[in-house]
Amino acid sequence: MFMARTLTLIPLFVLTVALPLSISAAIVNFERNLRLGDSGPDVKALQVILNANPLTHVASSGPGSPGDESTYFGFLTKQALIRYQELHSQDILIPAGLASGTGYFGLLSRAFVNSLESSKSSGGSPVVLAVEPAVIERDGEEVIIRGGNFDSDNNTVFIAGESTDAFTNLSSLDGKTLRFVYTPSFIAVVREQLFKASVGRDYQTVVQAFGSNIQERLPGHDEALVALAAIVENSNGKSQTFNLIINLSALLLVQ
Amino acid sequence: MNKIILVILLCTLALTLPLSPTKRAFSTGVGGELPFGGVQGFTLICTCSANTLHYIFDYRVKSVLPLVYQPGVSKLYAKWNIWGRYFLGSYRPGVRSCLIFVGEGCITIQSAGMMGSFPGTGTSGL
């Protein structure tokens, strides 16, 4: 009897030790570092997390795309992870003294993702998983924040460069989405500056020069994409810092 | 540790200013400077004028102030950290612009003023 029970438990024990991540009620906890060439169920779990945000999709179709995540950490996973790390640079890169993503899923990256996953299950602080649209290109665009632990009302979104009372009393019917209309406050100021500065010059050329000189501009894009740090706050606490990405070039060229 | 000291310094400044006898003088400008405080959106690097232009939502006037940071002139607190998210300090209105290179020459991007030295500017570093 004892022998039979022991034999039954052995595969369970082996399975528990062998799995490099814990999965409980769809909440994952990464327990090893991941790099190019690795494989396993934790790689697939990582791809699912990367695919939650259109800006960090592993692939748009085929293996690695949303719903078709794979267990192999290939080049596409590395590139998506680099974008993810740069989107969450305040929590992952800056504490390590890094300016750009590495594509290595190490201690800080794991800690950040694990804390997000933990928040999802704990009923604790708000957690932000994705922002739509991935890039804001028009005035007055509706922004949707997807995540969890949002209150039914009285959620506040704080955005760098904006008033603290600009996005307050936001409601969330499902506790997972927040919606608000966003026009960056500084756009009108910059437009006026550039109209004055471009007298006798081509406005579009001036906008391009302006965009190319922005310190916080995201690398690797032709247009001036700027990350604005933001957080969600409600009665449960504060979310992690996340970024709203705006296309400054497009916003400035709209008359 | 240094960040904590800087945050305490900024909080102390924010709390004591309304109680200070200098409040009246400060609100009308000390040394020709006005107080400001708020959160930064982004920074423009001014390639022709060797300074930077910071777009800061000023909680005091509830609008965006594009302020020049001029190395060697603008005074900074503590860690001399200009690359923080929150700013608190003073600026001199109508002084300094940001010049950027476009095509064959430089163009002027007007500012609301220059971060000054009465008492100067500090950042959160966060």
Side-chain angles (χ1 to χ4, degrees), chain B residues 2-12 123-124 126:
Chain B
N2 286 337
K3 282 183 180 176
I4 294 171
I5 293 171
L6 179 59
V7 169
I8 291 171
L9 177 68
L10 291 172
C11 291
T12 305
T123 70
S124 67
L126 298 173

Side-chain angles (χ1 to χ4, degrees), chain B residues 18-98:
Chain B
L19 305 173
S20 159
T22 61
K23 181 193 173 189
R24 216 178 75 190
F26 198 50
S27 62
T28 54
V30 175
E33 295 185 7
L34 296 174
F36 77 96
V39 61
Q40 172 170 278
F42 63 92
T43 310
L44 184 67
I45 298 170
C46 311
T47 46
C48 293
S49 51
N51 51 23
T52 49
L53 187 62
H54 299 257
Y55 290 83
I56 298 165
F57 188 95
D58 182 14
Y59 296 145
R60 182 171 174 270
V61 296
K62 288 199 170 294
S63 65
V64 173
L65 288 179
L67 295 178
V68 166
Y69 165 68
Q70 184 67 52
V73 181
S74 303
K75 182 180 175 183
L76 290 173
Y77 287 131
K79 291 173 69 179
W80 310 89
N81 179 7
I82 193 64
W83 307 117
R85 190 175 299 164
Y86 292 92
F87 287 71
L88 181 65
S90 62
Y91 73 100
R92 187 177 297 243
V95 178
R96 301 272 175 163
S97 297
C98 165

Side-chain angles (χ1 to χ4, degrees), chain A residues 23 32 56 59 61 92 137 141 155 165 184 193 201 230 250:
Chain A
I23 301 177
R32 66 164 179 159
T56 58
S61 61
I92 298 174
E137 302 192 323
E141 194 148 16
N155 299 283
D165 57 5
Q193 287 178 316
R201 292 177 184 267

Side-chain angles (χ1 to χ4, degrees), chain A residues 90 94 158-165 185-186 189-190 193-194 196-198 201 205-206 209-211 213-216 226-230 241 246 248, chain B residues 3 39-47 52-53 55-57 59 62 64-66 83 85-86 100-112 126:
Chain A
Q90 294 282 344
I94 290 175
F158 297 105
I159 304 172
E162 301 294 339
S163 170
T164 52
D165 57 5
S185 292
F186 47 76
V189 175
V190 177
Q193 287 178 316
L194 297 192
K196 289 178 180 172
S198 63
R201 292 177 184 267
T205 304
V206 172
F210 183 89
N213 284 307
I214 292 174
Q215 161 133 336
E216 295 83 357
V226 178
L228 298 174
T241 303
I246 63 166
L248 200 54
Chain B
K3 282 183 180 176
V39 61
Q40 172 170 278
F42 63 92
T43 310
L44 184 67
I45 298 170
C46 311
T47 46
T52 49
L53 187 62
Y55 290 83
I56 298 165
F57 188 95
Y59 296 145
K62 288 199 170 294
V64 173
L65 288 179
W83 307 117
R85 190 175 299 164
Y86 292 92
I100 61 172
F101 187 77
V102 181
E104 300 170 345
C106 299
I107 61 167
T108 301
I109 309 291
Q110 292 181 344
S111 75
L126 298 173

Side-chain angles (χ1 to χ4, degrees), chain A residues 118-171:
Chain A
S118 171
S119 295
K120 276 164 64 179
S121 64
S122 65
S125 301
V127 58
V128 174
L129 299 176
V131 178
E132 297 171 15
V135 178
I136 297 163
E137 302 192 323
R138 291 182 290 112
D139 286 357
E141 194 148 16
E142 183 183 56
V143 175
I144 304 172
I145 297 175
R146 299 194 187 281
N149 299 331
F150 300 147
D151 281 345
S152 56
D153 51 20
N154 287 329
N155 299 283
T156 299
V157 178
F158 297 105
I159 304 172
E162 301 294 339
S163 170
T164 52
D165 57 5
F167 311 104
T168 57
N169 299 320
L170 301 177
S171 60

